[in-house]
């Protein structure tokens, strides 16, 4: 008999009940009965709602990891264009592939290493009569013709536009290395600076020639040539600078000796007294003084000589 209130009831089943399997789940039979609303054995067993929560069950085991997916590779991209190249449109350019070229300020022309104004800076790969690809300092991956791998190529100094593995040797030409070949069809445009050819001494002078035979006996002496013109008179030399001698030192002053003062002359005798005049007349005049003997000038000076000379007391100087 169906329990009409089963959907509103909570049933508590003891562990080990025949309704529950070893994992604590309802057996298939009882699951089917509940699904049909048939719970005869539990009629009248609806109790009050229990309280509390059951303990959390243990975490289940981690599932096996899935296989790593393998993606397919996309299609390869197209090859990029090499750097340092220029696509040039120049109608009727006249170039061929491998030509060394330079720009004259107006258009591209064939280079030649015999003039500093026509040295190459690029290699041309021709597209058609009006177009070419100009390769500057870069690799040319393909498109060249007839190269020898591992060789340096120089701009020819004889054929405009041509490149050659032989470096120019003409002293009036220039060494203009422009390409290094990687294969017969590819190479690297070089960044080298051109330089003028410098010949070796061997090239300039060559080897010493063999000694020639001895010449015949010397001929007669030629006549004397005319006398050459007299050369111009040379410039007068600078006047020498004279140096005056030093003034001689002043001689010593001669020795001067003052002579001794002469002795005083003898006083003359006193004159006789005149007779006494009459009447106490005047006293007669005093008589004259007698002459002095050897009246010498006391201040006279004279020079003493070293010879034994008889010096008179009143002699001359």
């Amino acid at each position: 008999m169906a329990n009409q209130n089963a959907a509103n009831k909570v049933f508590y089943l003891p562990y080990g009940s025949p309704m529950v399997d070893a994992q604590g789940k309802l057996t298939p039979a009882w699951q089917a009965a509940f699904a049909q609303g048939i719970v005869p054995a539990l009629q009248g067993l609806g109790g009050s709602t229990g309280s509390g929560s059951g303990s959390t069950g243990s975490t289940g085991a981690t599932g096996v990891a899935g296989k790593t997916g393998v993606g397919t590779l996309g299609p390869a991209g197209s090859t990029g264009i090499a750097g340092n190249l220029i696509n040039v449109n120049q109608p009727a350019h006249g170039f061929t592939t491998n030509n060394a070229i330079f720009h004259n300020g107006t258009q591209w022309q064939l280079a030649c290493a015999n003039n500093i104004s026509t040295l190459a800076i690029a290699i041309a790969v021709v597209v058609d009569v009006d177009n070419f690809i100009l390769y500057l300092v870069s690799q040319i991956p393909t498109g060249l013709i007839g190269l020898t791998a591992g060789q340096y190529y120089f701009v020819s100094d004889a054929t405009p536009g041509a490149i050659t593995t032989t470096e120019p040797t003409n002293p009036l030409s220039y060494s203009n290395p422009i390409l290094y070949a990687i294969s017969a069809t590819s190479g690297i445009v070089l960044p080298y600076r051109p330089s003028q050819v410098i010949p070796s001494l061997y090239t300039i002078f060559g080897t010493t020639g063999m000694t020639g035979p001895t010449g015949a006996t010397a001929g007669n002496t030629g006549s004397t040539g005319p006398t050459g013109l007299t050369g111009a008179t040379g410039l007068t030399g600078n006047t020498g600078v004279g140096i005056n001698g030093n003034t001689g030192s002043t001689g010593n002053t001669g020795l001067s000796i003052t002579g001794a003062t002469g002795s005083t002359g003898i006083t003359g005798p006193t004159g006789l007294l005149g007779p006494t005049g009459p009447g106490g007349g005047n006293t007669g005049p005093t008589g004259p003084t007698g002459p002095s003997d050897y009246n010498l000038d006391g201040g006279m000076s004279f020079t003493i000589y070293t010879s034994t000379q008889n010096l008179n007391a009143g002699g001359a100087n």
Side-chain angles (χ1 to χ4, degrees):
M1 178 176 177
N3 184 353
Q4 301 297 327
N5 298 321
N8 299 322
K9 294 183 180 292
V10 178
F11 301 98
Y12 292 91
L13 302 177
Y15 186 80
S17 168
M19 298 171 62
V20 181
D21 61 16
Q23 286 75 33
K25 301 180 179 179
L26 288 175
T27 61
W30 280 101
Q31 290 179 16
F34 272 98
Q36 298 174 12
I38 302 174
V39 284
L42 300 176
Q43 291 181 4
L45 297 179
S48 59
T49 302
S51 61
S53 302
S55 60
T56 302
S58 59
T59 303
T62 303
V64 179
K67 295 181 178 179
T68 301
V70 179
T72 58
L73 294 175
S78 58
T79 302
I81 299 176
N84 293 342
L85 61 83
I86 303 173
N87 291 293
V88 180
N89 174 259
Q90 184 172 305
H93 52 69
F95 302 152
T96 58
T97 294
N98 287 21
N99 274 165
I101 59 177
F102 76 101
H103 198 270
N104 67 358
T106 303
Q107 63 180 3
W108 293 96
Q109 292 188 335
L110 296 174
C112 193
N114 62 357
N115 191 302
I116 194 171
S117 301
T118 60
L119 299 175
I121 62 170
I123 293 291
V125 174
V126 172
V127 177
D128 56 40
V129 294
D130 297 324
N131 297 277
F132 61 93
I133 302 173
L134 179 152
Y135 286 88
L136 298 167
V137 181
S138 63
Q139 179 179 353
I140 303 176
T142 187
L144 299 176
I145 301 172
L147 302 179
T148 301
Q151 290 292 322
Y152 284 92
Y153 283 82
F154 301 83
V155 179
S156 171
D157 61 345
T159 305
I163 57 176
T164 174
T165 56
T166 302
E167 185 175 10
T169 57
N170 187 335
L172 299 179
S173 297
Y174 293 83
S175 174
N176 186 186
I178 191 64
L179 184 72
Y180 179 80
I182 297 176
S183 69
T185 58
S186 65
I188 298 173
V189 180
L190 301 173
Y192 297 161
R193 176 181 178 181
S195 58
Q196 188 166 10
V197 174
I198 300 177
S200 65
L201 294 178
Y202 179 85
T203 302
I204 295 174
F205 299 106
T207 57
T208 303
M210 297 177 62
T211 302
T214 303
T217 304
N220 298 326
T221 303
S223 58
T224 303
T227 303
L229 299 175
T230 303
T233 303
L235 298 176
T236 303
N238 295 328
T239 302
V241 179
I243 301 176
N244 293 328
N246 296 327
T247 302
S249 58
T250 304
N252 297 327
T253 304
L255 181 62
S256 176
I257 302 176
T258 302
T261 303
S263 58
T264 302
I266 299 172
T267 302
T270 303
L272 298 176
L273 294 175
T276 303
N282 295 328
T283 301
T286 301
T289 302
S292 298
D293 188 12
Y294 303 108
N295 183 14
L296 299 177
D297 291 333
M300 182 177 295
S301 62
F302 55 92
T303 301
I304 295 177
Y305 295 93
T306 57
S307 62
T308 56
Q309 182 178 349
N310 184 20
L311 298 179
N312 296 319
N317 290 339

